Amino acid sequence: MYLYTSQRGAGTHEGFARRILVTAAVAISMALGASHVRADTVKISAGTTPSSIPNAFLDLKTHEIQGVMPDVIREIGKREGFDVSFNVIPFSALIQSVVSDKIDLIVAGMTPTPKRAEVIDFSQPVAQFGKGIIVNATDKNAYRTIDDLKGTVVGAGAGEETSDELVKLGIFKEVKLYNNGADMARDVALGRITAAFNDYPVLKAQEAAGRLDGVRVVDGFQPLRRVPIAFGVKKGNTALLSKINSGLGKIKADGTLDKILKKWNFGD
């Protein structure tokens, strides 16, 4: 009985030891594997804007980068195997930052233009939007096209292409130019102008945040034109650009892009 017990005990100890060795080997393998994955993960440095709601902005409550473009690039990264770190940079400095290799990627509401395309490369368009309008909260007129505002006084941003287009139309009593949206909204609320033009997603974001006292956003208004926004990379960075375009195609196909655009009011 003693010998039998001793032999069984020896076998048990050997089996236990083997299990420890196997477990340790698996743990080491997993650790090495995890280390290998972390080492191979591509890190992308992105430049984004501090307060361009809803394109890209820093949420002061959560201290996280939010907006349609950050949401899109994060989803692309999941599918293409890269992580994105964000650097908050003024819009005017984004192109120089990517050209000088301070960042790899521009994640902002940037519209591809021939002049910009001379120095950076753009991805396929992520979204497009046009100008919307706000009117006094008591104005219940159903404005659908630009002709519905004929003969009125309207406001628009100084130096913007849309402002020049409105003036050239020659159908308004006056086109007042403003340096910021807050002043335009105030004049609409005070009845000094009938309507004010601004990017529709921007107006909807302001409305959702409760920043449009005394005015309302006119849903269903057809803009004069729509402009695209896209990601930007240093000219010649075809490797990153290919990944972005590939991932963009994937999130278009599976419906993820549509969900993001609806979340940020980029629907047509």
Side-chain angles (χ1 to χ4, degrees), residues 35 59 68 101 129 133 147 165 187 204 220 234 236-237 253 256:
S35 175
D59 189 319
V68 62
D101 293 320
F129 62 91
I133 60 171
D147 289 330
E165 291 173 349
D187 278 4
K204 293 299 289 184
K234 185 175 182 178
N237 191 350
T256 301

Side-chain angles (χ1 to χ4, degrees), residues 131 133 135 141-154 165-166 168-173 194-195 197 218 220-225:
K131 295 291 182 181
I133 60 171
V135 298
N141 290 316
Y143 299 99
R144 290 294 176 264
T145 69
I146 202 77
D147 289 330
D148 293 332
L149 290 165
K150 187 176 181 179
T152 66
V153 179
V154 299
E165 291 173 349
L166 294 174
K168 290 177 181 178
L169 285 175
I171 66 173
F172 303 104
K173 183 177 180 180
T194 300
F197 289 78
V218 178
F221 179 80
Q222 297 300 312
L224 287 171
R225 60 188 175 89

Side-chain angles (χ1 to χ4, degrees), residues 5 13 25 42 48 54 56 62 71 117-118 120 123 131 137 141 155 188 204 210-211 217 234 258 264 268:
T5 303
H13 286 309
V42 177
T48 192
T62 64
D71 279 2
E118 291 177 0
I120 64 173
S123 70
K131 295 291 182 181
N141 290 316
V188 171
K204 293 299 289 184
R211 297 175 183 171
V217 180
K234 185 175 182 178
D258 282 341
W264 296 105
D268 291 337

Side-chain angles (χ1 to χ4, degrees), residues 14-264:
E14 289 174 1
F16 181 67
R18 282 196 297 271
R19 287 196 296 273
I20 290 177
L21 289 173
V22 170
T23 301
V26 170
I28 291 171
S29 176
M30 290 176 66
L32 290 174
S35 175
H36 179 69
V37 169
R38 286 194 298 270
D40 285 352
T41 300
V42 177
K43 302 291 184 180
I44 301 298
S45 174
T48 192
T49 44
S51 57
S52 181
I53 303 172
N55 297 322
F57 63 98
L58 175 64
D59 189 319
L60 297 179
K61 293 182 179 179
T62 64
H63 301 291
E64 294 181 352
I65 298 299
Q66 301 287 350
V68 62
M69 298 300 274
D71 279 2
V72 170
I73 199 62
R74 287 184 180 112
E75 290 296 331
I76 290 175
K78 290 177 184 178
R79 289 155 178 79
E80 296 299 319
F82 61 80
D83 292 330
V84 182
S85 62
F86 291 98
N87 301 275
V88 178
I89 299 171
F91 188 87
S92 59
L94 286 172
I95 289 180
Q96 181 55 38
S97 294
V98 78
V99 168
S100 61
D101 293 320
K102 292 181 179 179
I103 57 173
D104 302 308
L105 176 66
I106 295 174
V107 178
M110 185 170 285
T111 297
T113 65
K115 185 175 181 180
R116 289 170 178 163
E118 291 177 0
V119 290
I120 64 173
D121 288 333
F122 284 99
S123 70
Q124 295 173 3
V126 174
Q128 61 176 5
F129 62 91
K131 295 291 182 181
I133 60 171
I134 51 174
V135 298
N136 192 284
T138 63
D139 185 346
K140 303 304 180 183
N141 290 316
Y143 299 99
R144 290 294 176 264
T145 69
I146 202 77
D147 289 330
D148 293 332
L149 290 165
K150 187 176 181 179
T152 66
V153 179
V154 299
E160 295 186 1
E161 289 181 87
T162 298
S163 304
D164 294 336
E165 291 173 349
L166 294 174
V167 172
K168 290 177 181 178
L169 285 175
I171 66 173
F172 303 104
K173 183 177 180 180
E174 183 183 357
V175 178
K176 289 189 175 183
L177 303 181
Y178 294 83
N179 291 321
N180 61 73
D183 288 344
M184 279 198 298
R186 180 200 62 216
D187 278 4
V188 171
L190 292 174
R192 294 172 179 168
I193 59 178
T194 300
F197 289 78
N198 203 344
D199 296 342
Y200 179 75
V202 171
L203 292 176
K204 293 299 289 184
Q206 291 173 343
E207 182 181 57
R211 297 175 183 171
L212 294 178
D213 292 336
V215 305
R216 68 178 180 90
V217 180
V218 178
D219 294 317
F221 179 80
Q222 297 300 312
L224 287 171
R225 60 188 175 89
R226 289 183 170 86
V227 296
I229 54 176
F231 299 109
V233 302
K234 185 175 182 178
K235 207 156 192 65
N237 191 350
T238 56
L240 178 55
L241 197 61
S242 294
K243 281 183 173 290
I244 292 171
N245 286 332
S246 173
L248 191 55
K250 292 173 183 176
I251 65 173
K252 284 180 179 179
D254 66 19
T256 301
L257 181 60
D258 282 341
K259 292 179 181 178
I260 294 174
L261 297 182
K262 288 179 181 177
K263 170 186 174 182
W264 296 105

